[in-house]
PDB file of all heavy atoms in Angstrom:
ATOM      1  N   VAL A   9       0.844  -1.181   0.000  1.00 52.00           N
ATOM      2  CA  VAL A   9       0.000   0.000   0.000  1.00 52.00           C
ATOM      3  C   VAL A   9       0.886   1.239   0.000  1.00 52.00           C
ATOM      4  O   VAL A   9       1.720   1.413   0.890  1.00 52.00           O
ATOM      5  CB  VAL A   9      -0.921   0.021   1.236  1.00 52.00           C
ATOM      6  CG1 VAL A   9      -1.817   1.256   1.209  1.00 52.00           C
ATOM      7  CG2 VAL A   9      -1.758  -1.240   1.289  1.00 52.00           C
ATOM      8  N   THR A  10       0.747   2.086  -1.019  1.00 63.00           N
ATOM      9  CA  THR A  10       1.515   3.317  -1.075  1.00 63.00           C
ATOM     10  C   THR A  10       0.852   4.367  -0.194  1.00 63.00           C
ATOM     11  O   THR A  10      -0.346   4.298   0.082  1.00 63.00           O
ATOM     12  CB  THR A  10       1.582   3.844  -2.510  1.00 63.00           C
ATOM     13  OG1 THR A  10       0.259   4.200  -2.933  1.00 63.00           O
ATOM     14  CG2 THR A  10       2.151   2.794  -3.461  1.00 63.00           C
ATOM     15  N   PRO A  11       1.605   5.384   0.239  1.00 63.00           N
ATOM     16  CA  PRO A  11       0.993   6.455   1.023  1.00 63.00           C
ATOM     17  C   PRO A  11      -0.155   7.133   0.283  1.00 63.00           C
ATOM     18  O   PRO A  11      -1.135   7.545   0.896  1.00 63.00           O
ATOM     19  CB  PRO A  11       2.164   7.411   1.263  1.00 63.00           C
ATOM     20  CG  PRO A  11       3.379   6.540   1.225  1.00 63.00           C
ATOM     21  CD  PRO A  11       3.075   5.501   0.174  1.00 63.00           C
ATOM     22  N   ARG A  12      -0.028   7.248  -1.046  1.00 68.00           N
ATOM     23  CA  ARG A  12      -1.085   7.904  -1.807  1.00 68.00           C
ATOM     24  C   ARG A  12      -2.383   7.108  -1.761  1.00 68.00           C
ATOM     25  O   ARG A  12      -3.459   7.662  -1.514  1.00 68.00           O
ATOM     26  CB  ARG A  12      -0.656   8.107  -3.262  1.00 68.00           C
ATOM     27  CG  ARG A  12      -1.730   8.739  -4.137  1.00 68.00           C
ATOM     28  CD  ARG A  12      -1.231   8.978  -5.547  1.00 68.00           C
ATOM     29  NE  ARG A  12      -0.125   9.918  -5.547  1.00 68.00           N
ATOM     30  CZ  ARG A  12       0.522  10.303  -6.651  1.00 68.00           C
ATOM     31  NH1 ARG A  12       0.185   9.786  -7.821  1.00 68.00           N
ATOM     32  NH2 ARG A  12       1.500  11.171  -6.571  1.00 68.00           N
ATOM     33  N   SER A  13      -2.294   5.789  -1.989  1.00 71.00           N
ATOM     34  CA  SER A  13      -3.506   4.970  -1.953  1.00 71.00           C
ATOM     35  C   SER A  13      -4.085   4.904  -0.546  1.00 71.00           C
ATOM     36  O   SER A  13      -5.299   4.869  -0.362  1.00 71.00           O
ATOM     37  CB  SER A  13      -3.217   3.560  -2.480  1.00 71.00           C
ATOM     38  OG  SER A  13      -2.246   2.920  -1.679  1.00 71.00           O
ATOM     39  N   ALA A  14      -3.202   4.897   0.456  1.00 65.00           N
ATOM     40  CA  ALA A  14      -3.682   4.906   1.836  1.00 65.00           C
ATOM     41  C   ALA A  14      -4.427   6.198   2.140  1.00 65.00           C
ATOM     42  O   ALA A  14      -5.459   6.191   2.811  1.00 65.00           O
ATOM     43  CB  ALA A  14      -2.505   4.736   2.804  1.00 65.00           C
ATOM     44  N   PHE A  15      -3.909   7.315   1.622  1.00 68.00           N
ATOM     45  CA  PHE A  15      -4.582   8.598   1.839  1.00 68.00           C
ATOM     46  C   PHE A  15      -5.937   8.626   1.146  1.00 68.00           C
ATOM     47  O   PHE A  15      -6.930   9.100   1.709  1.00 68.00           O
ATOM     48  CB  PHE A  15      -3.720   9.742   1.303  1.00 68.00           C
ATOM     49  CG  PHE A  15      -4.427  11.079   1.315  1.00 68.00           C
ATOM     50  CD1 PHE A  15      -4.555  11.804   2.487  1.00 68.00           C
ATOM     51  CD2 PHE A  15      -4.996  11.590   0.154  1.00 68.00           C
ATOM     52  CE1 PHE A  15      -5.216  13.024   2.509  1.00 68.00           C
ATOM     53  CE2 PHE A  15      -5.661  12.811   0.161  1.00 68.00           C
ATOM     54  CZ  PHE A  15      -5.767  13.520   1.337  1.00 68.00           C
ATOM     55  N   ILE A  16      -6.004   8.092  -0.084  1.00 74.00           N
ATOM     56  CA  ILE A  16      -7.272   8.079  -0.816  1.00 74.00           C
ATOM     57  C   ILE A  16      -8.308   7.245  -0.072  1.00 74.00           C
ATOM     58  O   ILE A  16      -9.466   7.647   0.082  1.00 74.00           O
ATOM     59  CB  ILE A  16      -7.059   7.540  -2.248  1.00 74.00           C
ATOM     60  CG1 ILE A  16      -6.206   8.532  -3.065  1.00 74.00           C
ATOM     61  CG2 ILE A  16      -8.397   7.300  -2.944  1.00 74.00           C
ATOM     62  CD1 ILE A  16      -5.809   8.011  -4.431  1.00 74.00           C
ATOM     63  N   LEU A  17      -7.883   6.077   0.415  1.00 73.00           N
ATOM     64  CA  LEU A  17      -8.808   5.218   1.165  1.00 73.00           C
ATOM     65  C   LEU A  17      -9.249   5.900   2.453  1.00 73.00           C
ATOM     66  O   LEU A  17     -10.426   5.863   2.828  1.00 73.00           O
ATOM     67  CB  LEU A  17      -8.126   3.889   1.487  1.00 73.00           C
ATOM     68  CG  LEU A  17      -8.987   2.826   2.186  1.00 73.00           C
ATOM     69  CD1 LEU A  17     -10.217   2.494   1.356  1.00 73.00           C
ATOM     70  CD2 LEU A  17      -8.159   1.566   2.443  1.00 73.00           C
ATOM     71  N   ARG A  18      -8.316   6.584   3.117  1.00 71.00           N
ATOM     72  CA  ARG A  18      -8.634   7.311   4.344  1.00 71.00           C
ATOM     73  C   ARG A  18      -9.616   8.433   4.057  1.00 71.00           C
ATOM     74  O   ARG A  18     -10.583   8.643   4.800  1.00 71.00           O
ATOM     75  CB  ARG A  18      -7.345   7.872   4.953  1.00 71.00           C
ATOM     76  CG  ARG A  18      -7.560   8.698   6.209  1.00 71.00           C
ATOM     77  CD  ARG A  18      -6.252   9.388   6.611  1.00 71.00           C
ATOM     78  NE  ARG A  18      -6.443  10.177   7.810  1.00 71.00           N
ATOM     79  CZ  ARG A  18      -6.088   9.814   9.023  1.00 71.00           C
ATOM     80  NH1 ARG A  18      -5.531   8.637   9.211  1.00 71.00           N
ATOM     81  NH2 ARG A  18      -6.278  10.610  10.066  1.00 71.00           N
ATOM     82  N   PHE A  19      -9.389   9.144   2.946  1.00 73.00           N
ATOM     83  CA  PHE A  19     -10.253  10.269   2.594  1.00 73.00           C
ATOM     84  C   PHE A  19     -11.665   9.789   2.270  1.00 73.00           C
ATOM     85  O   PHE A  19     -12.658  10.373   2.728  1.00 73.00           O
ATOM     86  CB  PHE A  19      -9.663  11.008   1.391  1.00 73.00           C
ATOM     87  CG  PHE A  19     -10.468  12.199   0.948  1.00 73.00           C
ATOM     88  CD1 PHE A  19     -10.443  13.386   1.673  1.00 73.00           C
ATOM     89  CD2 PHE A  19     -11.267  12.138  -0.191  1.00 73.00           C
ATOM     90  CE1 PHE A  19     -11.183  14.482   1.274  1.00 73.00           C
ATOM     91  CE2 PHE A  19     -12.013  13.229  -0.590  1.00 73.00           C
ATOM     92  CZ  PHE A  19     -11.964  14.404   0.143  1.00 73.00           C
ATOM     93  N   ILE A  20     -11.770   8.688   1.513  1.00 77.00           N
ATOM     94  CA  ILE A  20     -13.082   8.152   1.148  1.00 77.00           C
ATOM     95  C   ILE A  20     -13.835   7.689   2.402  1.00 77.00           C
ATOM     96  O   ILE A  20     -15.027   7.972   2.566  1.00 77.00           O
ATOM     97  CB  ILE A  20     -12.936   6.992   0.146  1.00 77.00           C
ATOM     98  CG1 ILE A  20     -12.421   7.522  -1.201  1.00 77.00           C
ATOM     99  CG2 ILE A  20     -14.270   6.274  -0.052  1.00 77.00           C
ATOM    100  CD1 ILE A  20     -12.090   6.426  -2.192  1.00 77.00           C
ATOM    101  N   SER A  21     -13.153   6.983   3.289  1.00 73.00           N
ATOM    102  CA  SER A  21     -13.787   6.509   4.522  1.00 73.00           C
ATOM    103  C   SER A  21     -14.265   7.674   5.379  1.00 73.00           C
ATOM    104  O   SER A  21     -15.363   7.660   5.937  1.00 73.00           O
ATOM    105  CB  SER A  21     -12.802   5.646   5.323  1.00 73.00           C
ATOM    106  OG  SER A  21     -12.442   4.485   4.616  1.00 73.00           O
ATOM    107  N   THR A  22     -13.424   8.711   5.467  1.00 73.00           N
ATOM    108  CA  THR A  22     -13.784   9.882   6.272  1.00 73.00           C
ATOM    109  C   THR A  22     -15.010  10.579   5.709  1.00 73.00           C
ATOM    110  O   THR A  22     -15.944  10.911   6.445  1.00 73.00           O
ATOM    111  CB  THR A  22     -12.601  10.870   6.329  1.00 73.00           C
ATOM    112  OG1 THR A  22     -11.470  10.209   6.894  1.00 73.00           O
ATOM    113  CG2 THR A  22     -12.953  12.084   7.167  1.00 73.00           C
ATOM    114  N   VAL A  23     -15.014  10.819   4.403  1.00 77.00           N
ATOM    115  CA  VAL A  23     -16.148  11.493   3.767  1.00 77.00           C
ATOM    116  C   VAL A  23     -17.423  10.679   3.941  1.00 77.00           C
ATOM    117  O   VAL A  23     -18.491  11.223   4.268  1.00 77.00           O
ATOM    118  CB  VAL A  23     -15.859  11.736   2.273  1.00 77.00           C
ATOM    119  CG1 VAL A  23     -17.112  12.215   1.549  1.00 77.00           C
ATOM    120  CG2 VAL A  23     -14.740  12.760   2.110  1.00 77.00           C
ATOM    121  N   ALA A  24     -17.334   9.364   3.743  1.00 79.00           N
ATOM    122  CA  ALA A  24     -18.515   8.509   3.856  1.00 79.00           C
ATOM    123  C   ALA A  24     -19.083   8.540   5.274  1.00 79.00           C
ATOM    124  O   ALA A  24     -20.297   8.695   5.469  1.00 79.00           O
ATOM    125  CB  ALA A  24     -18.165   7.078   3.459  1.00 79.00           C
ATOM    126  N   LEU A  25     -18.217   8.437   6.259  1.00 77.00           N
ATOM    127  CA  LEU A  25     -18.680   8.400   7.649  1.00 77.00           C
ATOM    128  C   LEU A  25     -19.316   9.716   8.068  1.00 77.00           C
ATOM    129  O   LEU A  25     -20.405   9.741   8.664  1.00 77.00           O
ATOM    130  CB  LEU A  25     -17.507   8.067   8.570  1.00 77.00           C
ATOM    131  CG  LEU A  25     -17.045   6.605   8.524  1.00 77.00           C
ATOM    132  CD1 LEU A  25     -15.682   6.453   9.192  1.00 77.00           C
ATOM    133  CD2 LEU A  25     -18.064   5.704   9.195  1.00 77.00           C
ATOM    134  N   TRP A  26     -18.665  10.832   7.764  1.00 74.00           N
ATOM    135  CA  TRP A  26     -19.217  12.120   8.176  1.00 74.00           C
ATOM    136  C   TRP A  26     -20.437  12.506   7.352  1.00 74.00           C
ATOM    137  O   TRP A  26     -21.304  13.240   7.822  1.00 74.00           O
ATOM    138  CB  TRP A  26     -18.141  13.196   8.121  1.00 74.00           C
ATOM    139  CG  TRP A  26     -17.162  13.076   9.248  1.00 74.00           C
ATOM    140  CD1 TRP A  26     -15.823  12.805   9.167  1.00 74.00           C
ATOM    141  CD2 TRP A  26     -17.455  13.172  10.645  1.00 74.00           C
ATOM    142  NE1 TRP A  26     -15.274  12.734  10.418  1.00 74.00           N
ATOM    143  CE2 TRP A  26     -16.239  12.961  11.341  1.00 74.00           C
ATOM    144  CE3 TRP A  26     -18.615  13.427  11.373  1.00 74.00           C
ATOM    145  CZ2 TRP A  26     -16.167  12.999  12.728  1.00 74.00           C
ATOM    146  CZ3 TRP A  26     -18.536  13.455  12.763  1.00 74.00           C
ATOM    147  CH2 TRP A  26     -17.331  13.248  13.418  1.00 74.00           C
ATOM    148  N   THR A  27     -20.518  12.004   6.115  1.00 81.00           N
ATOM    149  CA  THR A  27     -21.728  12.232   5.321  1.00 81.00           C
ATOM    150  C   THR A  27     -22.927  11.561   5.976  1.00 81.00           C
ATOM    151  O   THR A  27     -24.007  12.150   6.088  1.00 81.00           O
ATOM    152  CB  THR A  27     -21.539  11.707   3.889  1.00 81.00           C
ATOM    153  OG1 THR A  27     -20.475  12.414   3.256  1.00 81.00           O
ATOM    154  CG2 THR A  27     -22.823  11.887   3.081  1.00 81.00           C
ATOM    155  N   VAL A  28     -22.738  10.323   6.438  1.00 82.00           N
ATOM    156  CA  VAL A  28     -23.813   9.614   7.134  1.00 82.00           C
ATOM    157  C   VAL A  28     -24.217  10.371   8.399  1.00 82.00           C
ATOM    158  O   VAL A  28     -25.413  10.565   8.672  1.00 82.00           O
ATOM    159  CB  VAL A  28     -23.372   8.180   7.477  1.00 82.00           C
ATOM    160  CG1 VAL A  28     -24.390   7.516   8.393  1.00 82.00           C
ATOM    161  CG2 VAL A  28     -23.192   7.359   6.215  1.00 82.00           C
ATOM    162  N   ALA A  29     -23.216  10.818   9.161  1.00 76.00           N
ATOM    163  CA  ALA A  29     -23.503  11.538  10.403  1.00 76.00           C
ATOM    164  C   ALA A  29     -24.292  12.816  10.132  1.00 76.00           C
ATOM    165  O   ALA A  29     -25.283  13.120  10.821  1.00 76.00           O
ATOM    166  CB  ALA A  29     -22.203  11.860  11.133  1.00 76.00           C
ATOM    167  N   LEU A  30     -23.875  13.562   9.132  1.00 76.00           N
ATOM    168  CA  LEU A  30     -24.549  14.822   8.837  1.00 76.00           C
ATOM    169  C   LEU A  30     -25.934  14.610   8.234  1.00 76.00           C
ATOM    170  O   LEU A  30     -26.864  15.379   8.491  1.00 76.00           O
ATOM    171  CB  LEU A  30     -23.679  15.664   7.900  1.00 76.00           C
ATOM    172  CG  LEU A  30     -22.418  16.238   8.563  1.00 76.00           C
ATOM    173  CD1 LEU A  30     -21.468  16.791   7.513  1.00 76.00           C
ATOM    174  CD2 LEU A  30     -22.774  17.318   9.571  1.00 76.00           C
ATOM    175  N   LEU A  31     -26.093  13.567   7.422  1.00 83.00           N
ATOM    176  CA  LEU A  31     -27.419  13.262   6.882  1.00 83.00           C
ATOM    177  C   LEU A  31     -28.392  12.956   8.013  1.00 83.00           C
ATOM    178  O   LEU A  31     -29.560  13.379   7.982  1.00 83.00           O
ATOM    179  CB  LEU A  31     -27.337  12.086   5.899  1.00 83.00           C
ATOM    180  CG  LEU A  31     -26.763  12.391   4.519  1.00 83.00           C
ATOM    181  CD1 LEU A  31     -26.621  11.106   3.705  1.00 83.00           C
ATOM    182  CD2 LEU A  31     -27.648  13.397   3.773  1.00 83.00           C
ATOM    183  N   ILE A  32     -27.920  12.217   9.012  1.00 82.00           N
ATOM    184  CA  ILE A  32     -28.770  11.922  10.168  1.00 82.00           C
ATOM    185  C   ILE A  32     -29.138  13.210  10.887  1.00 82.00           C
ATOM    186  O   ILE A  32     -30.288  13.438  11.267  1.00 82.00           O
ATOM    187  CB  ILE A  32     -28.057  10.948  11.121  1.00 82.00           C
ATOM    188  CG1 ILE A  32     -27.928   9.566  10.468  1.00 82.00           C
ATOM    189  CG2 ILE A  32     -28.823  10.830  12.440  1.00 82.00           C
ATOM    190  CD1 ILE A  32     -27.102   8.581  11.278  1.00 82.00           C
ATOM    191  N   MET A  33     -28.149  14.099  11.052  1.00 74.00           N
ATOM    192  CA  MET A  33     -28.402  15.350  11.761  1.00 74.00           C
ATOM    193  C   MET A  33     -29.370  16.235  10.983  1.00 74.00           C
ATOM    194  O   MET A  33     -30.313  16.804  11.539  1.00 74.00           O
ATOM    195  CB  MET A  33     -27.075  16.089  11.969  1.00 74.00           C
ATOM    196  CG  MET A  33     -27.195  17.357  12.807  1.00 74.00           C
ATOM    197  SD  MET A  33     -27.542  17.022  14.549  1.00 74.00           S
ATOM    198  CE  MET A  33     -29.280  17.365  14.690  1.00 74.00           C
ATOM    199  N   PHE A  34     -29.170  16.350   9.674  1.00 78.00           N
ATOM    200  CA  PHE A  34     -30.037  17.204   8.858  1.00 78.00           C
ATOM    201  C   PHE A  34     -31.436  16.609   8.699  1.00 78.00           C
ATOM    202  O   PHE A  34     -32.375  17.329   8.370  1.00 78.00           O
ATOM    203  CB  PHE A  34     -29.405  17.437   7.481  1.00 78.00           C
ATOM    204  CG  PHE A  34     -28.362  18.522   7.480  1.00 78.00           C
ATOM    205  CD1 PHE A  34     -27.028  18.211   7.654  1.00 78.00           C
ATOM    206  CD2 PHE A  34     -28.714  19.852   7.329  1.00 78.00           C
ATOM    207  CE1 PHE A  34     -26.057  19.199   7.671  1.00 78.00           C
ATOM    208  CE2 PHE A  34     -27.756  20.854   7.338  1.00 78.00           C
ATOM    209  CZ  PHE A  34     -26.418  20.525   7.514  1.00 78.00           C
ATOM    210  N   SER A  35     -31.574  15.300   8.924  1.00 81.00           N
ATOM    211  CA  SER A  35     -32.892  14.682   8.837  1.00 81.00           C
ATOM    212  C   SER A  35     -33.759  15.007  10.039  1.00 81.00           C
ATOM    213  O   SER A  35     -34.957  14.756  10.031  1.00 81.00           O
ATOM    214  CB  SER A  35     -32.740  13.164   8.700  1.00 81.00           C
ATOM    215  OG  SER A  35     -32.256  12.605   9.910  1.00 81.00           O
ATOM    216  N   GLY A  36     -33.147  15.559  11.088  1.00 75.00           N
ATOM    217  CA  GLY A  36     -33.907  15.939  12.267  1.00 75.00           C
ATOM    218  C   GLY A  36     -33.896  14.905  13.378  1.00 75.00           C
ATOM    219  O   GLY A  36     -34.485  15.135  14.440  1.00 75.00           O
ATOM    220  N   TYR A  37     -33.225  13.757  13.146  1.00 80.00           N
ATOM    221  CA  TYR A  37     -33.177  12.715  14.178  1.00 80.00           C
ATOM    222  C   TYR A  37     -32.013  13.019  15.124  1.00 80.00           C
ATOM    223  O   TYR A  37     -30.926  12.444  15.013  1.00 80.00           O
ATOM    224  CB  TYR A  37     -33.025  11.336  13.541  1.00 80.00           C
ATOM    225  CG  TYR A  37     -34.228  10.912  12.739  1.00 80.00           C
ATOM    226  CD1 TYR A  37     -34.214  10.946  11.352  1.00 80.00           C
ATOM    227  CD2 TYR A  37     -35.400  10.494  13.372  1.00 80.00           C
ATOM    228  CE1 TYR A  37     -35.323  10.574  10.606  1.00 80.00           C
ATOM    229  CE2 TYR A  37     -36.517  10.118  12.645  1.00 80.00           C
ATOM    230  CZ  TYR A  37     -36.472  10.160  11.262  1.00 80.00           C
ATOM    231  OH  TYR A  37     -37.567   9.781  10.525  1.00 80.00           O
ATOM    232  N   GLU A  38     -32.269  13.908  16.066  1.00 84.00           N
ATOM    233  CA  GLU A  38     -31.209  14.372  16.949  1.00 84.00           C
ATOM    234  C   GLU A  38     -30.638  13.241  17.790  1.00 84.00           C
ATOM    235  O   GLU A  38     -29.428  13.163  18.005  1.00 84.00           O
ATOM    236  CB  GLU A  38     -31.742  15.476  17.864  1.00 84.00           C
ATOM    237  CG  GLU A  38     -32.245  16.701  17.113  1.00 84.00           C
ATOM    238  CD  GLU A  38     -32.922  17.699  18.027  1.00 84.00           C
ATOM    239  OE1 GLU A  38     -32.497  17.802  19.204  1.00 84.00           O
ATOM    240  OE2 GLU A  38     -33.885  18.345  17.590  1.00 84.00           O
ATOM    241  N   ILE A  39     -31.485  12.346  18.253  1.00 87.00           N
ATOM    242  CA  ILE A  39     -31.029  11.269  19.128  1.00 87.00           C
ATOM    243  C   ILE A  39     -30.110  10.315  18.367  1.00 87.00           C
ATOM    244  O   ILE A  39     -29.120   9.816  18.922  1.00 87.00           O
ATOM    245  CB  ILE A  39     -32.235  10.502  19.741  1.00 87.00           C
ATOM    246  CG1 ILE A  39     -31.748   9.493  20.781  1.00 87.00           C
ATOM    247  CG2 ILE A  39     -33.050   9.820  18.664  1.00 87.00           C
ATOM    248  CD1 ILE A  39     -31.160  10.113  22.006  1.00 87.00           C
ATOM    249  N   LEU A  40     -30.401  10.080  17.080  1.00 87.00           N
ATOM    250  CA  LEU A  40     -29.546   9.193  16.288  1.00 87.00           C
ATOM    251  C   LEU A  40     -28.181   9.818  16.046  1.00 87.00           C
ATOM    252  O   LEU A  40     -27.150   9.139  16.064  1.00 87.00           O
ATOM    253  CB  LEU A  40     -30.220   8.856  14.955  1.00 87.00           C
ATOM    254  CG  LEU A  40     -31.457   7.964  15.028  1.00 87.00           C
ATOM    255  CD1 LEU A  40     -31.997   7.697  13.633  1.00 87.00           C
ATOM    256  CD2 LEU A  40     -31.122   6.642  15.725  1.00 87.00           C
ATOM    257  N   PHE A  41     -28.178  11.137  15.810  1.00 85.00           N
ATOM    258  CA  PHE A  41     -26.907  11.830  15.635  1.00 85.00           C
ATOM    259  C   PHE A  41     -26.082  11.725  16.921  1.00 85.00           C
ATOM    260  O   PHE A  41     -24.877  11.460  16.885  1.00 85.00           O
ATOM    261  CB  PHE A  41     -27.149  13.299  15.282  1.00 85.00           C
ATOM    262  CG  PHE A  41     -25.879  14.093  15.068  1.00 85.00           C
ATOM    263  CD1 PHE A  41     -25.214  14.024  13.858  1.00 85.00           C
ATOM    264  CD2 PHE A  41     -25.365  14.898  16.067  1.00 85.00           C
ATOM    265  CE1 PHE A  41     -24.054  14.743  13.650  1.00 85.00           C
ATOM    266  CE2 PHE A  41     -24.211  15.626  15.874  1.00 85.00           C
ATOM    267  CZ  PHE A  41     -23.553  15.546  14.653  1.00 85.00           C
ATOM    268  N   TRP A  42     -26.739  11.924  18.053  1.00 88.00           N
ATOM    269  CA  TRP A  42     -26.030  11.827  19.331  1.00 88.00           C
ATOM    270  C   TRP A  42     -25.502  10.415  19.550  1.00 88.00           C
ATOM    271  O   TRP A  42     -24.364  10.247  20.020  1.00 88.00           O
ATOM    272  CB  TRP A  42     -26.962  12.222  20.482  1.00 88.00           C
ATOM    273  CG  TRP A  42     -26.360  11.944  21.819  1.00 88.00           C
ATOM    274  CD1 TRP A  42     -25.400  12.670  22.467  1.00 88.00           C
ATOM    275  CD2 TRP A  42     -26.636  10.821  22.659  1.00 88.00           C
ATOM    276  NE1 TRP A  42     -25.075  12.073  23.663  1.00 88.00           N
ATOM    277  CE2 TRP A  42     -25.810  10.952  23.809  1.00 88.00           C
ATOM    278  CE3 TRP A  42     -27.513   9.742  22.566  1.00 88.00           C
ATOM    279  CZ2 TRP A  42     -25.842  10.021  24.835  1.00 88.00           C
ATOM    280  CZ3 TRP A  42     -27.541   8.816  23.596  1.00 88.00           C
ATOM    281  CH2 TRP A  42     -26.713   8.959  24.713  1.00 88.00           C
ATOM    282  N   VAL A  43     -26.297   9.401  19.207  1.00 89.00           N
ATOM    283  CA  VAL A  43     -25.846   8.017  19.364  1.00 89.00           C
ATOM    284  C   VAL A  43     -24.603   7.765  18.510  1.00 89.00           C
ATOM    285  O   VAL A  43     -23.629   7.135  18.967  1.00 89.00           O
ATOM    286  CB  VAL A  43     -26.973   7.033  18.985  1.00 89.00           C
ATOM    287  CG1 VAL A  43     -26.426   5.606  18.848  1.00 89.00           C
ATOM    288  CG2 VAL A  43     -28.094   7.070  20.015  1.00 89.00           C
ATOM    289  N   LEU A  44     -24.618   8.267  17.274  1.00 87.00           N
ATOM    290  CA  LEU A  44     -23.475   8.063  16.384  1.00 87.00           C
ATOM    291  C   LEU A  44     -22.231   8.770  16.920  1.00 87.00           C
ATOM    292  O   LEU A  44     -21.144   8.178  17.001  1.00 87.00           O
ATOM    293  CB  LEU A  44     -23.816   8.573  14.984  1.00 87.00           C
ATOM    294  CG  LEU A  44     -22.749   8.355  13.913  1.00 87.00           C
ATOM    295  CD1 LEU A  44     -22.514   6.868  13.694  1.00 87.00           C
ATOM    296  CD2 LEU A  44     -23.164   9.029  12.602  1.00 87.00           C
ATOM    297  N   ILE A  45     -22.380  10.040  17.289  1.00 87.00           N
ATOM    298  CA  ILE A  45     -21.256  10.802  17.810  1.00 87.00           C
ATOM    299  C   ILE A  45     -20.739  10.186  19.110  1.00 87.00           C
ATOM    300  O   ILE A  45     -19.531  10.023  19.314  1.00 87.00           O
ATOM    301  CB  ILE A  45     -21.666  12.270  18.040  1.00 87.00           C
ATOM    302  CG1 ILE A  45     -21.939  12.964  16.707  1.00 87.00           C
ATOM    303  CG2 ILE A  45     -20.599  13.024  18.817  1.00 87.00           C
ATOM    304  CD1 ILE A  45     -20.736  13.063  15.808  1.00 87.00           C
ATOM    305  N   SER A  46     -21.657   9.822  20.002  1.00 91.00           N
ATOM    306  CA  SER A  46     -21.255   9.223  21.271  1.00 91.00           C
ATOM    307  C   SER A  46     -20.577   7.876  21.052  1.00 91.00           C
ATOM    308  O   SER A  46     -19.636   7.521  21.773  1.00 91.00           O
ATOM    309  CB  SER A  46     -22.470   9.051  22.180  1.00 91.00           C
ATOM    310  OG  SER A  46     -23.035  10.304  22.504  1.00 91.00           O
ATOM    311  N   GLY A  47     -21.067   7.133  20.062  1.00 91.00           N
ATOM    312  CA  GLY A  47     -20.447   5.846  19.764  1.00 91.00           C
ATOM    313  C   GLY A  47     -18.988   5.996  19.370  1.00 91.00           C
ATOM    314  O   GLY A  47     -18.115   5.272  19.877  1.00 91.00           O
ATOM    315  N   PHE A  48     -18.721   6.953  18.482  1.00 90.00           N
ATOM    316  CA  PHE A  48     -17.334   7.188  18.079  1.00 90.00           C
ATOM    317  C   PHE A  48     -16.501   7.681  19.268  1.00 90.00           C
ATOM    318  O   PHE A  48     -15.338   7.311  19.420  1.00 90.00           O
ATOM    319  CB  PHE A  48     -17.272   8.201  16.934  1.00 90.00           C
ATOM    320  CG  PHE A  48     -17.438   7.577  15.583  1.00 90.00           C
ATOM    321  CD1 PHE A  48     -18.583   7.783  14.838  1.00 90.00           C
ATOM    322  CD2 PHE A  48     -16.445   6.765  15.057  1.00 90.00           C
ATOM    323  CE1 PHE A  48     -18.747   7.203  13.599  1.00 90.00           C
ATOM    324  CE2 PHE A  48     -16.591   6.174  13.807  1.00 90.00           C
ATOM    325  CZ  PHE A  48     -17.744   6.385  13.080  1.00 90.00           C
ATOM    326  N   GLY A  49     -17.096   8.529  20.097  1.00 93.00           N
ATOM    327  CA  GLY A  49     -16.378   9.019  21.263  1.00 93.00           C
ATOM    328  C   GLY A  49     -16.020   7.911  22.230  1.00 93.00           C
ATOM    329  O   GLY A  49     -14.879   7.835  22.726  1.00 93.00           O
ATOM    330  N   MET A  50     -16.974   7.026  22.515  1.00 95.00           N
ATOM    331  CA  MET A  50     -16.729   5.936  23.450  1.00 95.00           C
ATOM    332  C   MET A  50     -15.714   4.935  22.888  1.00 95.00           C
ATOM    333  O   MET A  50     -14.845   4.436  23.614  1.00 95.00           O
ATOM    334  CB  MET A  50     -18.039   5.232  23.788  1.00 95.00           C
ATOM    335  CG  MET A  50     -19.021   6.073  24.587  1.00 95.00           C
ATOM    336  SD  MET A  50     -18.430   6.473  26.253  1.00 95.00           S
ATOM    337  CE  MET A  50     -18.596   4.879  27.062  1.00 95.00           C
TER     338      MET A  50
END
């Protein structure tokens, strides 16, 4: 694995995860957003 491919995979994973989190937040499901954020924190 080259650093470039590792960065691309890291970038894609990051975008996908935060997109899901923000979609939940913008959908109005506050408790689900909190569960997701708290899950990552724990």
Side-chain angles (χ1 to χ4, degrees):
V9 181
T10 65
R12 178 177 297 179
S13 61
F15 172 78
I16 293 173
L17 184 58
R18 178 189 180 101
F19 181 75
I20 292 173
S21 297
T22 301
V23 170
L25 286 166
W26 286 116
T27 298
V28 171
L30 289 168
L31 284 175
I32 292 174
M33 185 70 258
F34 278 94
S35 69
Y37 293 104
E38 299 173 33
I39 187 67
L40 291 181
F41 181 81
W42 171 77
V43 168
L44 183 63
I45 292 296
S46 297
F48 274 110
M50 293 294 287

